[in-house]
Amino acid sequence: MKATTPPKTYRVKSFGCQMNVYDGERMAEMLGARGIVPAPEGEDADLVVLNTCHIREKAAEKVYSDIGRISKAGAAAGKQPLIAVAGCVAQAESEEIMARAPAVSMVVGPQAYHRLPDMLDRAVLGERATDTDMPAIAKFAALPPRRRTAPASFLTVQEGCDKFCTYCVVPYTRGAEISRPYSDLVTEARKLVEAGAKEITLLGQNVSAWSGENEHGHTVGLAGLIRDLAKVDGLARIRYTTSHPADMDDALIAAHGEIDALMPFLHLPVQAGSDRVLKAMNRSHTADSYLRLLERFRAARPDLALSGDFIVGFPGETEAEFEETLALVDAVGYAQAFSFKYSPRPGTPAAAMDGQVPKEVMDDRLQRLQAALNRDQLAFNQRSVGRRCEVLVERKGKHPGQWLGKTPWLQSAWFEGAAAIGDLVQVDLVEAGPNSLSARLREPVTA
Ligand code: 5AD
Ligand code: SF4
């Protein structure tokens, strides 16, 4: 590659999960610390970071089409931007990217991105570099401190996964489970609040497996961390995601009934409703044990909104087994959920299993599942009408004077009136749609 002038502007494009959003923000902060500024909206950047997702085939393929588009635009403008590929595709396919995409000069895995600035120095000299070292808890220590942030921010507390669900690439791309130290998390949460966060979502591939030592030297789990973060002045709301049913302990269940700042929302993927399929997925829970677990959470927090992830068409899934998933959905009544067609990922055990399900069958099952989930989401929203609650204002709505935010149950709610981004306002929920609710601002109560 040719040497080039150091970039003045950057753009970070994050795909996939919320942890990628968090990583993308941290990469942006590192570039910012180097004096590189975000490219203005609509303008080409000198440096593009594609922070990629490898969880499903479609997500992974996107990176190659994006690289093609960026270098074509660069050729047309007479100036090629530097391109870095980060995230889980970088981890899983570093050699392929280097071979297939000569326009890429940096490939950096999710545990190594603290070294991006050094790689950039080499890229400017015309070198191509790959760094996919893992695991690197050191990454966090090497990042600059948090600065500006959104009212609803993310904080990675745990990374990696030891569960090895047979369909999933995460244990390979993100590596073994690690917990960030307690004191680092309390410090980062404080910094986020100082920088404007009112809500923090604690992130981890298996977040409920987090554990650490508190300032008294006691080992605490996620519930203990949440309890202490709830004491951070100015932090009104705490959420966490994603959990595995096997790591939900009594303390976490109790926390939902005891800690006001812990929002009444639980994302607990189940993936399927058939015990045979769950076993083949190596999920270590049954449909029944999952339902019993939810009962315990609901007993602690009766208004808890539930969310899940589903995969249809796992190898060998029969029509009757798929119907068990529909039955489970009926039994739970999810407030929202994510559902996917099974996508074979290279190197995972399920990719080599017999009984791969034809595409048309998967399409049909996904459609039926989503119809059920959409029905339940609308019903949940309709049941919320008449509720009086707090909304955290996250952005302006489409029309002047309109604001958009989230209810405690993570529903999008919009309203009109005097407010600002970052406000926690009291509203009445007045009308429900499938994806959002309209709300009426309550007059502030004055003494
Ligand atoms: N195919 C389809 N969906 C998948 N997920 C993970 N791996 C695959 C795969 N190979 C889904 C699971 C997981 C969510 C993040 O993505 O439902 O919970
Ligand atoms: Fe993947 Fe399973 Fe780990 Fe979730 S729990 S990240 S689905 S291996």
Side-chain angles (χ1 to χ4, degrees):
M1 291 196 107
K2 282 202 311 239
T4 176
T5 50
K8 292 193 180 67
T9 61
Y10 72 82
R11 175 164 295 123
V12 178
K13 265 183 88 174
S14 288
F15 303 89
C17 66
Q18 290 160 329
M19 194 175 288
N20 263 8
V21 175
Y22 175 89
D23 291 343
E25 283 169 7
R26 307 294 328 246
M27 285 189 260
E29 285 167 350
M30 276 193 304
L31 298 171
R34 282 273 179 126
I36 311 172
V37 298
E41 197 72 43
E43 279 182 31
D44 293 335
D46 302 335
L47 165 67
V48 180
V49 181
L50 299 173
N51 191 20
T52 60
C53 171
H54 199 240
I55 199 114
R56 285 170 293 276
E57 193 177 355
K58 268 207 185 124
E61 270 307 311
K62 229 179 149 99
V63 64
Y64 294 103
S65 57
D66 255 40
I67 295 166
R69 205 162 24 76
I70 295 164
S71 34
K72 221 167 162 186
K79 187 174 183 308
Q80 281 295 347
L82 289 166
I83 303 177
V85 179
C88 290
V89 179
Q91 189 68 37
E93 299 186 6
S94 59
E95 283 169 25
E96 190 179 341
I97 297 168
M98 280 296 188
R100 231 174 113 171
V104 172
S105 47
M106 292 156 274
V107 175
V108 62
Q111 307 301 2
Y113 65 75
H114 55 299
R115 295 198 280 255
L116 185 62
D118 295 341
M119 296 173 83
L120 185 58
D121 290 340
R122 289 164 58 192
V124 166
L125 298 175
E127 284 177 42
R128 301 177 85 202
T130 297
D131 193 337
T132 51
D133 271 4
M134 67 192 307
I137 188 80
K139 166 180 76 186
F140 294 102
L143 300 175
R146 307 302 316 251
R147 284 183 301 196
R148 256 190 36 221
T149 193
S153 287
F154 297 125
L155 171 53
T156 293
V157 304
Q158 179 278 335
E159 257 194 88
C161 185
D162 297 341
K163 293 284 183 238
F164 290 92
C165 299
T166 52
Y167 51 80
C168 186
V169 285
V170 166
Y172 311 95
T173 57
R174 289 273 172 175
E177 284 175 6
I178 54 125
S179 291
R180 290 183 65 194
Y182 172 95
S183 59
D184 292 5
L185 298 173
V186 175
T187 305
E188 190 168 328
R190 286 209 183 102
K191 286 263 177 330
L192 284 171
V193 172
E194 279 166 25
K198 297 275 173 62
E199 170 179 308
I200 293 181
T201 300
L202 309 178
L203 296 180
Q205 270 85 33
N206 185 13
V207 71
S208 28
W210 181 87
S211 81
E213 218 174 76
N214 69 11
E215 73 266 40
H216 309 298
H218 298 143
T219 300
V220 291
L222 186 66
L225 177 66
I226 292 171
R227 213 170 275 280
D228 291 349
L229 291 180
K231 294 179 201 144
V232 171
D233 247 358
L235 180 58
R237 294 176 157 196
I238 300 172
R239 305 180 186 276
Y240 62 92
T241 197
T242 292
S243 304
H244 187 288
D247 290 310
M248 310 302 274
D249 62 14
D250 293 346
L252 191 58
I253 296 172
H256 274 276
E258 293 166 4
I259 303 172
D260 287 343
L262 181 57
M263 291 292 102
F265 184 91
L266 175 65
H267 179 65
L268 193 62
V270 64
Q271 313 298 357
S274 143
D275 290 346
R276 192 205 63 81
V277 172
L278 287 169
K279 193 149 191 261
M281 287 176 162
N282 191 31
R283 284 293 293 179
S284 80
H285 59 83
T286 62
D288 192 51
S289 70
Y290 176 83
L291 290 172
R292 277 185 283 123
L293 180 60
L294 292 189
E295 280 317 309
R296 292 168 63 209
F297 272 95
R298 277 181 160 153
R301 182 77 205 222
D303 68 336
L304 192 71
L306 291 164
S307 163
D309 287 346
F310 294 88
I311 295 175
V312 300
F314 184 80
E317 185 189 67
T318 65
E319 171 62 22
E321 286 167 344
F322 168 66
E323 284 169 14
E324 291 183 73
T325 299
L326 293 178
L328 181 136
V329 166
D330 287 349
V332 173
Y334 287 94
Q336 61 165 63
F338 302 93
S339 47
F340 312 100
K341 284 185 272 189
Y342 168 71
S343 160
R345 307 310 297 128
T348 60
M353 284 180 188
D354 292 336
Q356 301 285 327
V357 174
K359 185 182 167 300
E360 313 76 66
V361 176
M362 283 208 264
D363 286 340
D364 171 67
R365 289 182 189 167
L366 187 66
Q367 215 181 5
R368 285 153 68 201
L369 174 60
Q370 290 186 340
L373 293 168
N374 291 342
R375 171 203 69 199
D376 289 352
Q377 182 169 325
L378 179 61
F380 182 84
N381 288 347
Q382 284 167 339
R383 283 200 302 280
S384 308
V385 170
R387 263 174 169 166
R388 189 161 273 190
C389 67
E390 214 164 47
V391 162
L392 174 59
V393 182
E394 293 183 22
R395 55 192 166 92
K396 287 186 172 159
K398 269 191 228 129
H399 304 292
Q402 229 182 41
W403 299 96
L404 257 176
K406 293 276 164 53
T407 70
W409 307 279
L410 206 64
Q411 298 148 299
S412 291
W414 59 270
F415 64 91
E416 284 169 8
I421 291 171
D423 283 356
L424 276 159
V425 296
Q426 294 290 332
V427 302
D428 290 312
L429 299 175
V430 289
E431 207 182 318
N435 298 312
S436 66
L437 289 132
S438 66
R440 194 180 311 114
L441 192 58
R442 298 189 66 215
E443 293 305 319
V445 186
T446 44

